[in-house]
Amino acid sequence: MGRQHELEVLGELTGFAAPGTAVIVRGSSGIGKSALLRRVLRTARADGHLVLCATGDSLDTGTEFGVVHQLFEHAADEELDEHVTAAVADHDAPYRAVAALGRSDRRVVLAVDDLQWADTASVLWLGRLLRRLDGLRITVIATMGPGQKDCDNHEIGALLPLFRHRIWLSPLGEAEVGELARAIFGTEPEPGFVTACRTATGGVPALLHALLRSIRTHGAAPRADTAADLARHVPAEVGRTVHATLRGAGPDVGTTAVAAAVLTGPPGPDADLRGECLVPAAALLAHATGMPGPTVEDGLHTLVGAGLMALVDGGIAFTCPVLAVAIANEVLPSRRLEFHARAARFLIDEGAAWDVVMPHLLNGPLGQDWTVDALLRAADDAEARGDRGAALACLRRALREPLPERVRAQVLVSVGEVELTRCVPTAVNSLRRSLDLATAPGERAAAARSLAAALFTLDRYSEGIEVLRQVGERIRPASPLDALRLEIDLVYAQLGRTCTAAAGMPRLMAMDLAEAAGTRVQRPLAALLSFRSIMDGGSPEEAISYAQQALAEGVCPQDDESYVYSAAVLALAVAGRSDLAFTRVDACLEAVRERSSALSYAYTSTLRAGVYYRLGNVRGCEADARAAVETLRGVGAGPTTSHSVAMLTDALVKLGRTDEAEQLLVEHGLNGRLNRHWTNDFTALVRGRLRMAQGRVREGLADFLHAGDRARTRRMAGPAVLPWRSEAALAHAALGEKQQALALAEEEVSLAQAWGVPEFRGIALRVLGVVQGGSAGIDLLSEAIGLLEPSTARYSYAQALADCGALTRQNGGSSSARGLLRQAVSVAQQCGAMLVAESAQEELRASGFRPDSPVADAHGAGTLTRSELRVAELAAEGLTNKEIAARLFVGLRTVEVHLSKAYHKLGISGRAGLAEALSG
């Protein structure tokens, strides 16, 4: 026990221990009764008192007067006068002996440890003694814990009231646990560590001492991270001590305790000691042990009486989680396997939920004919519940069984698909093995597509493309439709790289929807053809038609997940239907979040960030792109995160946070040479925008021209896909190169006119107006405003308003300019375009008008980014930071940062005011 606690109890006990007094100290096993008694007796001996002591033993309860004989054996060793010595030597007259001792010149302290195990004759003798203590120089001190002979036993029950003073030793509290940990480790323990140790041991000093010493011996520090690993430090002597106690209680009780400990949770180091250890129902224990149900129930009752278990809400639990682990650790592995196998079979036959059966399946023996089917069903159930970790555990456990190759291939595909949501590099190995084992064309096609997708995520495009090509060629004779499905992904992947785009282009141009009409391949083929429709020579109407067919089952259809559907989303946005694209992607993101697929969540978040980019919603783009970047990093994805990084960079530039944008590019290796994937066409454009914002105009121009060169390789040079000419025109203009600027701007307007979507003509006209300048420029900007006002492109609309207002003021129309500039500020603030808003405010001040408040001083729920708002709303619902992190697929630190920023913007100090602040 804690030092202060021990001293307080010792002082109390010493105060009671006067001659003619009887004191009993009670408490649960391991609470420190025996240590306290030994200390009192040492003090008594040091003071010159005669100390007689005995200890009850569960193995000696049938030995008559066993405790009494122990007492007088100690007395026989003392130097006594002849009268007393003769009395003590007469074992047939113990009362005469104790009376003789009590009349000596020395005070006598008679002590019995573990009174609950004393034999019946000794208990009756002690009762008679306690009734005759008055006038004797004898102090009786006893300790008592739980055991077979507790208060409900007749003899013990009659004895307890005869003790005039009673002390109950309670478990240590957290403060005392912390004090003890500090003394053992010589350093301040973290609060989480203290709480975990208190929970694991129940505050029982003996268990706590053993656990803390073991942790120190293993070199672990008293930190919160050690708390999750306490089971590894449960010392073996605890288990051996408990098993010795169980042997004294009888074989049935011991078997019941062992089965309960094994079946309570994961064995050994995988157990979590920070929660309650509820034991299985008696019926399950009876089946697992092969004992009758009433025998098991009697065993549980005895274990409760012995203090090893306790009644709790919902059933019976081990009083300390450490006890369950300590008992289970001493059980032979073969016996543990048998218990789990019997438990799993019983639960399946009883129709129990698969999440209840699963722990026993995972820890059962190999080679049982029903196990594989049960594991696969448990995996399917876990997948449906969104518990990917449990599904993966069941699948990996199934792979340890002797499986036919075809079944093993199918299981490996499932393993790889689940691993894709958790760790992409690991998934590649499983998917490659599944492809090697698959034999049927459909199975080989599915395995090849999954493997290729994983390789693409790791930026291993050459490998992924080769997998699709080789498998497609091999299965084409047997299954042309499966081969066509592979070819769709292959062509889309080829178009994505400048070095392979030429190889995929002829096949793309030759494809026709009739090749897959009425089949499951029609949707992915329509997605690919929608991509063709936004290339040079295509049309918006055709793009929309193909895209709607492609997305009939959503952006991430469960029967056919593929990157090719992102082409349909892009096609809708480029064709002027960003609103429809948003509806599709938003619905998909909610479905993906429910499926708990991290990779699909990142992929869909990137898509929605792209739609937000098209809509001009800067804050929405920032939130989704950031979520995608963090999630992809969490599953080990490679440099292909550049698309989400580019989206995030663009949003940061528009928010005026150029330093953060630069750092982001540096962290992801995108500040130098860009790889050849088509997503980096956009990265080059965004990097050019950053360079312009930084005043590095010549570098920005180089990035814009590079983006254009890359886009032309894929015949995607139109302004709707990548407005590189407009950006390059503005850079040329900033460098004073007006002729080059005008040439690019006019070409952009012409191409936008040919494409036929008003918003892109408005965007191009806005740039031409800025480059042209003067009254002609104002007219062009006014026309751009008219085209953009009814469109969904709110950022571009804010830009046009701000540019028109600025040019109008520069041409002497300050009064007219103010209305345009004030409207620009309003629209820019609504979509989060703080850089445009600040620029417009500067122009307003130059026109003689002072805005009501600066942009940077904005506060309230409306100023939260989408990520901050999402985290704040979940926190307001009562979710913990850990639960929020799991829900959003982000790190715990990310949640903490978002909450901190939300508190600041909302003007509150913590969670207590969140709900009100968000609704205000």
Side-chain angles (χ1 to χ4, degrees), residues 739-868:
Q739 291 305 312
Q740 294 97 316
L742 280 172
L744 286 170
E746 288 169 351
E747 183 183 3
E748 192 89 309
V749 170
S750 176
L751 291 170
Q753 178 70 33
W755 181 242
V757 177
E759 73 178 66
F760 296 113
R761 177 171 167 76
I763 293 170
L765 284 171
R766 171 240 159 192
V767 172
L768 181 59
V770 171
V771 173
Q772 185 70 54
S775 59
I778 293 173
D779 291 341
L780 290 167
L781 284 164
S782 297
E783 185 180 354
I785 289 171
L787 291 168
L788 290 169
E789 183 176 11
S791 77
T792 58
R794 308 318 291 161
Y795 178 79
S796 297
Y797 177 48
Q799 280 185 307
L801 287 168
D803 289 338
C804 189
L807 190 57
T808 300
R809 184 194 68 77
Q810 293 164 15
N811 283 268
S814 295
S815 178
S816 301
R818 288 171 189 161
L820 291 166
L821 292 169
R822 291 177 67 179
Q823 191 176 0
V825 171
S826 176
V827 175
Q829 287 182 332
Q830 288 172 11
C831 65
M834 309 314 285
L835 199 62
V836 173
E838 290 168 359
S839 175
Q841 284 185 328
E842 287 295 323
E843 289 291 337
L844 274 172
R845 280 188 280 270
S847 73
F849 178 82
R850 184 165 297 278
D852 294 333
S853 61
V855 176
D857 291 341
H859 282 80
T863 65
L864 298 180
T865 67
R866 189 175 182 86
S867 292
E868 291 164 356

Side-chain angles (χ1 to χ4, degrees), residues 143-175:
T143 70
M144 182 175 167
Q148 285 181 312
K149 292 179 175 291
D150 210 334
C151 301
D152 56 343
N153 178 277
H154 176 72
E155 290 82 8
I156 292 288
L159 179 65
L160 291 180
L162 300 178
F163 287 94
R164 297 179 185 178
H165 304 288
R166 302 177 186 86
I167 297 175
W168 182 268
L169 295 185
S170 59
L172 302 183
E174 287 202 15

Side-chain angles (χ1 to χ4, degrees), residues 417-488:
E417 290 173 349
V418 176
E419 286 174 336
L420 279 175
T421 71
R422 298 164 63 86
C423 180
V424 181
T426 302
V428 166
N429 297 327
S430 298
L431 292 169
R432 195 179 294 280
R433 289 171 59 204
S434 72
L435 178 59
D436 292 339
L437 291 172
T439 55
E443 293 172 355
R444 288 186 61 78
R449 289 182 54 238
S450 295
L451 175 58
L455 292 168
F456 294 156
T457 302
L458 295 173
D459 201 29
R460 292 160 61 178
Y461 277 91
S462 297
E463 292 178 63
I465 287 173
E466 191 61 18
V467 166
L468 294 172
R469 187 189 63 77
Q470 288 184 359
V471 175
E473 290 177 355
R474 290 171 185 170
I475 68 172
R476 189 177 302 280
S479 181
L481 193 63
D482 285 318
L484 176 60
R485 181 64 192 89
L486 284 176
E487 191 177 22
I488 290 168

